[in-house]
Amino acid sequence: MPGTANSELKSEVLLRCVGCGAITPVDESGLTCTICGNLLEVLFPLPGSELPNPAALKSLWLKRRTSPLAEDQSGVWRFREVLPALGEAHAPITLREGNTALYELSLCARLAGVQRLFAKHQGMNPTGSFKDTGMTVAASFARKDGFRWVACASTGNTSASMAAYAARGGMKSLVLIPDGKISWSKLSQALEYGAVTCQVKTDFDGCMKILNEIVSRMPIYLLNSINPFRLEGQKTVAFELMEHFDWQPPDHIIVPGGNLGNSSALGKALLEMKDLGLISRLPKLSVIQAEGANALVRTVREKAGRELVQVHAETLATAIRIGNPASWKKAVRVLEASGGTVEQVSEVEIALAKAEIGADGIGCEPASAVTLAGLKKLVKQGFVKPNESVVLVLTGHLLKDPDFTLKFHRGDLFEGRPHEKEAAILATRQRAPIVLDATVDAVLKTLEAAEKQP
Ligand code: F0G
């Protein structure tokens, strides 16, 4: 990477441009291709390297789950055969991320009209979001390369995760977040882990623009998902998912789309697993966006995926409030390779789906709930058949955005907004807190009334 603090380090990692296909050693490249300006990805497997035996890999990865070593206990590093090599001399920065649960969602399955529905809950990671799986890898490479500073622009989860891994790795971190547009819970995480946290008076896309300029001038390592090492870590979620299914892929995987790093990473993993002989067919990977932040949906529908349609993003699902997604080309490639699709969902549909996932005893943050809202539409359209198996990737924990949840249950989430009328359908899921006199009688009466409710 440019500005590499420790320039004598030579790495065996090669990067390939997703536009022109040019291949460069990591030590000689930046975050974008010097020939055509497109994003880069880690080349795997390395040309000429011997491909590992799939059966041996499966049993090795499973065996590591009972090992006491930190790098084996990490749900990311236990798959290290498919990750860029950190080298013997460098320990990974790990919080024992990954190894998240796969839950069956029975209520949501009924509501969506499918027989088998699962949630791969990435909100169960150490800082409460899927970002940790990528951060452990990219932060470890930043430290290996001798960086003192790491930085990101964020809608909240990347910054929380980066700040934690930087602190664990003895590095300083700089966070740029859109002023007033991220949840307090995510902001408080960055503060607690000691990041220099700047609330910039712009949106995510504006923060990204400023940060790109800063990292080009200073020896600061960029930890946004345009960093190919982030996506390598996030890849392991798909490996773990296939392991859950004993390497018999489900029919559909559905993910939320923001900056589109996650969908790109999962897609890269699926293609690699197929090439390695770990799975015999690809699940369809589909991406769901909020109607107000639907750059990929429009790119696919209006430009056949060939040219990015940027949008001015607006949604209460602040994590995916992104109008200029960096990894759109990678995501389009994944959609095409896996036969997946794109869909958009309204603010009210997101809120309803979030409460339904909560009612299944799981819970997630608003951005994650677009997956269920999108699935309902895909079933209605016939793209997902009732007898097909579906996995929703839930990207963030319920506690990431308590304001949204409280407002939803109090019934004022859409107050004064254009969606107020449509929001009437949310009433059956709303459970406002009940203020009572301090008597047994008052509680008993409340119980009685609740018993009569459907
Ligand atoms: N879900 C959650 C909870 C997120 O935080 C994000 C992105 C996404 C989905 C979308 O993932 O960008 O890979 O398509 N959050 C970033 C952040 C942008 O800064 O925390 P994506």
Side-chain angles (χ1 to χ4, degrees):
M1 305 273 167
T4 296
N6 207 344
S7 56
E8 79 279 2
L9 282 172
K10 280 279 170 238
S11 166
E12 285 180 14
V13 182
L14 296 178
L15 299 179
R16 177 176 49 204
C17 170
V18 296
C20 70
I23 294 174
T24 34
V26 70
D27 317 85
E28 292 163 26
S29 63
L31 288 171
T32 49
C33 177
T34 46
I35 302 164
C36 70
N38 275 292
L39 293 187
L40 306 171
E41 64 182 358
V42 172
L43 187 63
F44 176 84
L46 283 171
S49 66
E50 211 176 298
L51 287 184
N53 172 292
L57 278 178
K58 288 175 188 175
S59 84
L60 174 67
W61 291 337
L62 209 53
K63 202 165 129 221
R64 285 184 181 145
R65 290 206 70 159
T66 54
S67 156
L69 297 178
E71 60 267 40
D72 290 345
Q73 287 185 353
S74 160
V76 172
W77 294 100
R78 81 182 166 97
F79 295 102
R80 54 190 170 270
E81 285 71 19
V82 296
L83 297 177
L86 196 55
E88 299 268 296
H90 302 275
I93 306 168
T94 173
L95 287 162
R96 317 296 189 272
E97 52 290 313
N99 291 332
T100 55
L102 182 77
Y103 299 113
E104 190 146 10
L105 298 176
S106 46
L107 170 69
C108 294
R110 240 181 308 123
L111 295 169
V114 291
Q115 284 153 19
R116 282 171 307 153
L117 179 61
F118 302 87
K120 175 72 175 157
H121 205 330
Q122 292 306 100
M124 298 300 180
N125 270 294
T127 76
S129 86
F130 73 103
K131 305 290 180 178
D132 295 343
T133 55
M135 208 52 78
T136 180
V137 174
S140 298
F141 274 87
R143 184 169 71 174
K144 171 186 165 152
D145 285 354
F147 281 91
R148 282 186 57 238
W149 279 90
V150 293
C152 72
S154 181
T155 56
N157 281 326
T158 302
S159 48
S161 181
M162 180 190 75
Y165 282 85
R168 294 294 298 169
M171 295 178 287
K172 294 176 183 297
S173 62
L174 170 71
V175 162
L176 300 194
I177 48 171
D179 186 27
K181 296 288 183 185
I182 79 162
S183 87
W184 288 108
S185 134
K186 297 173 189 178
L187 172 61
S188 63
Q189 286 182 286
L191 302 178
E192 188 82 354
Y193 300 132
V196 175
T197 305
C198 307
Q199 294 182 268
V200 189
K201 296 192 169 89
T202 177
D203 56 10
F204 170 84
D205 302 300
C207 289
M208 200 65 248
K209 216 164 147 192
I210 295 172
L211 191 62
N212 279 331
E213 181 68 29
I214 291 182
V215 296
S216 73
R217 293 197 205 168
M218 311 280 292
I220 299 179
Y221 191 88
L222 185 72
L223 278 176
N224 276 96
S225 59
I226 61 167
N227 182 316
F229 290 102
R230 279 269 314 275
L231 300 201
E232 290 304 294
Q234 285 173 214
K235 250 177 30 180
T236 58
V237 178
F239 284 79
E240 206 175 276
L241 185 58
M242 295 306 134
E243 190 185 62
H244 284 300
F245 284 99
D246 200 18
W247 305 95
Q248 302 300 315
D251 296 303
H252 294 271
I253 300 177
I254 300 185
V255 291
N259 215 16
L260 302 174
N262 201 28
S263 33
S264 304
L266 297 177
K268 185 172 190 279
L270 293 173
L271 293 170
E272 288 176 1
M273 278 187 274
K274 179 114 191 308
D275 285 349
L276 286 173
L278 289 162
I279 54 174
S280 56
R281 64 180 177 84
L282 292 178
K284 292 190 171 83
L285 195 141
S286 298
V287 181
I288 315 295
Q289 295 192 301
E291 268 173 14
N294 59 354
L296 181 69
V297 176
R298 292 191 57 187
T299 296
V300 170
R301 291 185 182 166
E302 295 168 26
K303 303 284 177 187
R306 295 295 160 258
E307 191 186 316
L308 176 67
V309 179
Q310 290 185 32
V311 300
H312 175 75
E314 204 49 80
T315 170
L316 290 174
T318 51
I320 49 172
R321 192 171 171 270
I322 294 171
N324 182 16
S327 294
W328 69 274
K329 269 193 189 161
K330 291 184 182 179
V332 167
R333 200 181 50 175
V334 166
L335 291 172
E336 287 173 354
S338 78
T341 189
V342 287
E343 192 44 87
Q344 57 186 4
V345 290
S346 75
E347 296 294 292
V348 172
E349 286 167 337
I350 295 171
L352 180 61
K354 184 174 116 52
E356 289 165 347
I357 293 167
D360 236 331
I362 301 298
C364 64
E365 69 166 285
S368 309
V370 301
T371 53
L372 177 62
L375 170 65
K376 290 183 196 167
K377 289 191 156 176
L378 297 184
V379 173
K380 281 201 184 107
Q381 293 159 11
F383 183 80
V384 174
K385 311 274 180 304
N387 63 347
E388 288 181 321
S389 52
V390 183
V391 176
L392 308 179
V393 179
L394 302 183
T395 43
H397 198 279
L398 171 65
L399 295 176
K400 282 285 192 173
D401 197 346
D403 267 4
F404 184 108
T405 309
L406 279 175
K407 282 185 183 155
F408 174 92
H409 288 289
R410 287 185 184 139
D412 48 13
L413 187 60
F414 293 106
E415 213 172 77
R417 289 176 180 269
H419 329 81
E420 209 170 339
K421 230 169 140 190
E422 193 197 339
I425 59 159
L426 303 177
T428 53
R429 295 273 162 215
Q430 282 160 350
R431 299 283 180 272
I434 305 160
V435 182
L436 293 181
D437 289 333
T439 65
V440 171
D441 222 34
V443 179
L444 286 175
K445 273 198 183 123
T446 308
L447 258 182
E448 233 168 78
E451 187 68 38
K452 284 181 196 139
Q453 275 172 8

